[in-house]
Structure formats: C-alpha cells, structure tokens
C-alpha cells in the first residue's frame, strides 16, 4: 500500500533569539505529530542579525534535526552561526550577501514548491525582504510586530494576499485574537470596538498594585521574574501595547499610523532613557512614581473599580493607557501576566467575545508561530 501523500513546507527562519529557538525545538519535537497529519516542515535556512545558514540544496533537503538542535544550543550560548559549519550539509553567508541568498531561495521556491518566510526577529530591517518574498509568491508568518506597524503602505503590501500571511503571534502570543477578529469580519458582522489588556508585564503590575503594593517594588519584582525587558521602561512606556493596538486597528480598516495613537507612558520624559540610565531609573527613578500610582489606584478603588493598562480601538480612534474598569468585568478580574481581549460587534454587543490566557513568553509565542505555519499547509502541493 503506497504511503499517504504529504505536504512539504520549506521554511526560512529570520531571527534565532528566544522565540526562534523555541520554534526550532517545537518543529523538531513535533515531527511524529506532523507526520501523522501528513505534513513535513523542512527548515532550509536560519538567519540571525549578521548571517544566514542555509541547506546545500534547498530543493530537496533541509537542515537536519541534529543540526537544528546544535544551532539552538550554540545560539543560547552566544556562539555565531559559523560555529555550525562542521555539523552538516550547509553553507554560511554573511550580510549583505545573506539577504540576497534569502531572495534567491524565495525566487527558487516561491513559485515552485513554495516557501514560508518566518520572521521571529524584532527589527524593522526585515520589511523590504518580506515585501520581496510576497512578490515571489512566498507565504509569510510573523511574530515580529514591526513590519506591520511601520508605513501603512507596507502593511497593505504584506497583506495583499491575505491567504498567504499569518500573524497571530504579533498580538497576544498564541491567543486566537487575529483569527477571531478576521472570522467575525468575514461573517459580515462589523467589529465596532476592541478593548484589551495586551501586556503580560503591565497586567501583572496592575493586579499587584490592586493589592496595595508599591509600584516601584512591583516593577522590580516583575523584572526579577523575567516579565519585563532588561530596561522596564520598554514595557512601562506602552509602545509594545501600542504596536499591537495598531495592528488590530489596521485589521479593522483604520488607515492610521503610530502617530495617530494616544499612548500614555507610566513614566515622565525626565525619567526616560535619554535622561536617566537603567540603573538610576531602577534605584531612584521608580520610587518617584509610587505616590501618583498609589493615588490613582485608590481613586479607582473608591469607585468600585480597578486600574488596568488597556488599548481601546473604536470609531473614535485608538487609545492606549491606564483606565478604570469594573472589578467584576473580564478586564477587572484579570490577574497575573495573562492577556484578555474583549471584541464587540453587532452579534457581540451586549456580551462581548472574550479571549483570555497566556499572552507572552517565548514558548507560548513560538507555539503560536508553529500553528500559523501549519495553517498554511493547504497552499502547498502534496507529494508521495
């Protein structure tokens, strides 16, 4: 009896930081599961910020699982991709030649077997590469928010063939926020409003503040737990939430840019990175914010509410910042580092669709990226 046909999905990964490495580990560990589903993911190239490691023959083979495992270990230890050249049948290209080699793979595979270009980096520098890949008929999977939050024309270009792009992990990690919004829109039910707590870090900070703890101590604890960026101001400034809000707003049809979003920072400009070092901010800057944050938390409590850092997207535009919400609402009940999103539409007006769960973490985000890759399998030819 002949073996069942399977879909082979060639993949080039951009970015082998935390999310990228978890993705490679997931791909390797899920081989038996995917084989039972008739799918084989073939990693033909992996790029970091300076170079590209690519299989000798992207047509017929990929980087084997032993090499991918070594790659994850090497990058975790801070070693360059060049350290892997003795591990298997592969070639290394340094920038800027690396970019041209990715385009070569896109040209070669995009219009024949197909190619999935996966962006797990955290830079705007991949935008032109992604647009070129779109022109060559490639599929795109994004965990990187920045290509979708730059110029609106770039957003339009990347989504010009909606069947070939997946970007669930740009908003809420593995939570089905993008899928839910697009399904509602596709049903002819116009989405009127989206409200969400989309920062695990700020969700944790706000729920701890609710318990009467000092803002400065909560932020330091969040940093020690690995919830914040190395400089917590990257979270406290609200820009990560603003990028997620911008993606959702554009998905709802708003032709806006980051300049159109009102973003409330939880620290003043005089305590910003240009004025104060990270160490000084942690040691002496944070405590200056305790009193005002305590007063806002108490004011919310006196009204039967709690403070949450939320994004609101509606007909009036897009706002990101602190808001008082009822204690018994989905946002008010939120604890810890979970994300929650409320979607309002004609069918979900009085009782919104609520999506809640882990919305951060390399493992969770990588799992969402892998699900997006698998969701593209029907676009690839079956082989014996």
């Amino acid at each position: 009896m002949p073996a069942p046909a399977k879909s082979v999905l060639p993949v080039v990964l951009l970015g082998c930081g935390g999310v990228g490495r978890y993705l490679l580990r997931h791909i390797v560990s899920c081989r038996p599961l995917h084989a039972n589903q008739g799918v084989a993911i073939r990693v033909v190239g992996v790029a970091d910020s300076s170079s590209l490691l690519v299989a000798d023959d992207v047509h017929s083979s990929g980087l084997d699982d032993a090499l991918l495992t070594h790659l994850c270990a090497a990058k975790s230890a801070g070693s360059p991709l060049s350290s892997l050249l003795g591990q298997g049948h592969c070639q290394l290209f340094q920038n800027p030649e690396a970019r041209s080699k990715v385009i070569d793979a896109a040209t070669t595979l995009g219009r024949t077997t197909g190619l999935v270009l996966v962006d797990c980096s955290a830079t705007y520098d991949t935008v032109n590469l992604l647009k070129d890949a779109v022109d060559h008929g490639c599929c795109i999977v994004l965990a990187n928010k920045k290509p979708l939050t730059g110029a609106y024309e770039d957003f339009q270009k990347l989504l010009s063939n909606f069947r070939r792009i997946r970007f669930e992990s740009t908003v809420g990690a593995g939570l089905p926020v993008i899928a839910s919004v697009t399904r509602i829109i596709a049903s002819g039910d116009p989405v009127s409003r989206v409200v969400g707590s989309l920062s695990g870090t700020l969700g944790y900070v706000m729920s701890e503040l609710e318990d009467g703890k000092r803002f400065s101590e909560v932020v330091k604890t969040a940093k020690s737990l690995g919830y914040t960026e190395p400089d917590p101001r990257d979270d406290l400034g609200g820009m990560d939430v603003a990028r997620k809000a911008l993606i959702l707003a554009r998905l709802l049809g708003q032709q806006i840019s980051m300049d159109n979003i009102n973003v409330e920072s939880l620290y003043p400009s005089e305590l910003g990175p240009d004025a104060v070092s990270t160490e000084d901010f942690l040691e002496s800057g944070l405590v200056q914010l305790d009193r005002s944050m305590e007063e806002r938390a108490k004011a919310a409590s006196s009204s039967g509410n709690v403070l949450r850092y939320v994004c609101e997207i509606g007909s009036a535009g897009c706002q990101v910042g602190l808001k008082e919400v009822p204690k018994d609402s989905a946002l008010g009940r939120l604890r810890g580092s979970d994300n929650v999103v409320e979607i309002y539409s004609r069918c979900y007006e009085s009782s919104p669709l609520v999506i809640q769960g882990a919305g951060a973490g390399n493992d969770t985000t990588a799992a969402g990226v892998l699900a997006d890759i698998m969701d593209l399998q029907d676009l690839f030819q079956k082989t014996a």
Side-chain angles (χ1 to χ4, degrees), residues 40-97:
I41 296 176
R42 179 187 294 159
V43 181
V44 300
V46 177
D48 62 13
S49 59
S50 60
S51 54
L52 167 72
L53 194 72
V54 65
D56 281 340
D57 184 0
V58 296
H59 289 284
S60 59
S61 64
L63 304 174
D64 65 37
D65 288 353
L67 176 57
L68 295 178
T69 302
H70 282 300
L71 187 155
C72 291
K75 292 301 295 183
S76 295
S79 299
L81 289 178
S82 58
S83 66
L84 299 159
L85 283 174
Q87 299 289 337
H89 300 289
C90 55
Q91 307 168 68
L92 185 79
F93 300 97
Q94 303 290 343
N95 284 342
E97 188 182 14

